[in-house]
Amino acid sequence: MFGFDNPAAFFLLLFIPVIYFLRYLKILSGIYFPLNLGDWNGRSFLWNKGFRKILSATVRVFVMAAYVLLVTALADPVMRITEKVYTSRGSDIVFVVDVSPSMAARDIGSGQRLDAAKAAIKQIAASNSGDSFGLVEMAQTAALVVPPTMDRKSFFSRLDSLAVGELGDGTAIGTGLSCAVYHLENSSSPKKSIVLMTDGENNSGSVHPHTAAKFAASKGISLYVLGIGKRGTVPLEYSDPKTGHVYSGYLESEFDGTSLSKIAAEGEGKYFEIDSMQSLSQSVSSVSKNENVVQTYFIKNNDRKLYFNFIVAAAVLCLLAWILRRLFLQEVL
């Protein structure tokens, strides 16, 4: 937020209309001695009246602008950035995101299923500003790519970089859930949860998803399963991150939320079927509401003083005005 610590300084701007009024009454006016010199054998001095008027007006504008900038500097401009500093922990939420090739299908809004998952995560993060977020990507295998953190910049940067096909073809739901549980079980947060976002059935990995879901429940970790997709023929296009080969065509989607709802039930959690942006928004609101934790915090102000910038700008304008008057108007100052 931009503001001023000494706004009373702006009363000095009243001198501008006062000076112009006094000059209009000829009470305050400059003294000029026009002097035309011509060399005995040289060319006589030529006065371009129109050009001089334009330059004189420009000089006056520069001087007036410099005065305004100096008054603004005296008003002590400041860029004030307020920041919440939390003194108690919020929820720890780990998102397990499917990056298998089928997540490139375009049947949720105008983007890929993976795009819908990213949008949901960002919406949850915006609603739970004091929480810590982690990220597990999952396909043929699973890996923690962001441990639970409140560093939104790092988290969103890695989230945006998720790409379909990074971990091969397959859906290791059990492995992804186990990885998330492993990094949450020792957390001291008052609430811990896993948000699984996938469009398929478990067909890879050595851990059964029901086993992983029960393990999460035994550790007091809430489970939310978001099944993203529709049945039928849907367009699909993506570029393989490893080979660069572009796959384009149609996917015969056999999306079935039955197995996903069973996983949620085994983990004593909730299942949401995402087949539109509206259902996505509703599920996100429910997750945000359930994981909200009342936290204590204080407001920290990070002030950035800007007066020096205005002084430098005023000095530049004064220098330009001097150059115009001395070199182009040929006035003796």
Side-chain angles (χ1 to χ4, degrees):
M1 183 177 65
F2 184 77
F4 299 92
D5 284 344
N6 183 31
F10 284 115
F11 283 110
L12 294 175
L13 294 177
L14 296 176
F15 280 113
I16 295 176
V18 170
I19 291 173
Y20 272 89
F21 181 69
L22 293 177
R23 293 192 66 173
Y24 175 77
L25 297 178
K26 297 184 178 180
I27 297 174
L28 182 65
S29 59
I31 301 175
Y32 297 94
F33 297 97
L35 182 62
N36 296 337
L37 300 175
D39 194 283
W40 180 260
N41 295 317
R43 187 177 60 180
S44 61
F45 179 76
L46 297 177
W47 192 262
N48 189 332
K49 186 176 181 181
F51 181 65
R52 179 183 182 278
K53 281 187 175 181
I54 294 174
L55 284 184
S56 295
T58 302
V59 168
R60 286 196 295 270
V61 170
F62 282 179
V63 172
M64 187 183 303
Y67 178 74
V68 172
L69 288 172
L70 287 174
V71 170
T72 304
L74 188 61
D76 200 4
V78 61
M79 182 64 71
R80 184 165 288 115
I81 302 173
T82 58
E83 176 187 4
K84 280 186 178 180
V85 178
Y86 290 92
T87 56
S88 63
R89 293 199 61 168
S91 298
D92 277 1
I93 303 175
V94 173
F95 298 95
V96 180
V97 183
D98 188 352
V99 294
S100 61
S102 61
M103 288 293 284
R106 297 178 177 272
D107 55 0
I108 307 296
S110 59
Q112 298 178 345
R113 293 172 178 175
L114 180 58
D115 294 330
K118 291 179 180 180
I121 293 172
K122 290 179 180 179
Q123 194 172 339
I124 292 173
S127 302
N128 302 65
S129 60
D131 294 341
S132 297
F133 298 110
L135 187 62
V136 171
E137 64 174 328
M138 168 194 72
Q140 189 176 20
T141 184
L144 178 79
V145 292
V146 181
T149 178
M150 291 187 68
D151 184 351
R152 294 292 190 269
K153 184 177 180 180
S154 298
F155 177 79
F156 286 135
S157 176
R158 187 62 183 90
L159 174 66
D160 289 335
S161 70
L162 288 184
V164 169
E166 280 186 326
L167 296 180
D169 190 2
T171 310
I173 295 178
T175 305
L177 290 177
S178 298
C179 182
V181 172
Y182 177 78
H183 288 90
L184 279 175
E185 61 176 329
N186 294 322
S187 170
S188 59
S189 175
K191 281 189 178 182
K192 297 173 287 187
S193 62
I194 298 171
V195 180
L196 170 65
M197 298 179 171
T198 182
D199 66 348
E201 296 184 0
N202 185 76
N203 56 19
S204 184
S206 57
V207 181
H208 196 283
H210 289 185
T211 302
K214 290 178 180 178
F215 184 43
S218 69
K219 296 295 182 179
I221 300 172
S222 302
L223 177 62
Y224 302 92
V225 181
L226 275 62
I228 304 175
K230 300 178 183 177
R231 294 179 64 87
T233 304
V234 295
L236 177 146
E237 182 176 347
Y238 75 98
S239 175
D240 190 304
K242 296 180 179 178
T243 65
H245 183 74
V246 177
Y247 295 89
S248 180
Y250 289 87
L251 170 70
E252 292 299 329
S253 175
E254 298 181 358
F255 175 82
D256 184 4
T258 304
S259 62
L260 295 178
S261 63
K262 288 181 179 178
I263 294 173
E266 290 289 348
E268 301 176 12
K270 294 184 178 181
Y271 171 70
F272 302 91
E273 190 159 306
I274 310 301
D275 57 5
S276 66
M277 294 305 292
Q278 181 179 0
S279 59
L280 176 66
S281 179
Q282 290 173 348
S283 64
V284 164
S285 297
S286 179
V287 173
S288 298
K289 183 178 179 181
N290 290 340
E291 294 308 305
N292 186 40
V293 173
V294 177
Q295 294 176 259
T296 58
Y297 63 88
F298 65 89
I299 301 297
K300 179 182 178 182
N301 291 323
N302 297 316
D303 294 346
R304 180 189 171 196
K305 298 289 186 177
L306 302 175
Y307 65 88
F308 184 73
N309 304 68
F310 286 87
I311 292 175
V312 171
V316 170
L317 289 178
C318 288
L319 178 61
L320 290 174
W322 181 87
I323 292 173
L324 290 176
R325 293 187 65 182
R326 186 69 183 90
L327 301 182
F328 293 94
L329 291 176
Q330 299 180 13
E331 294 179 359
V332 179
L333 304 179

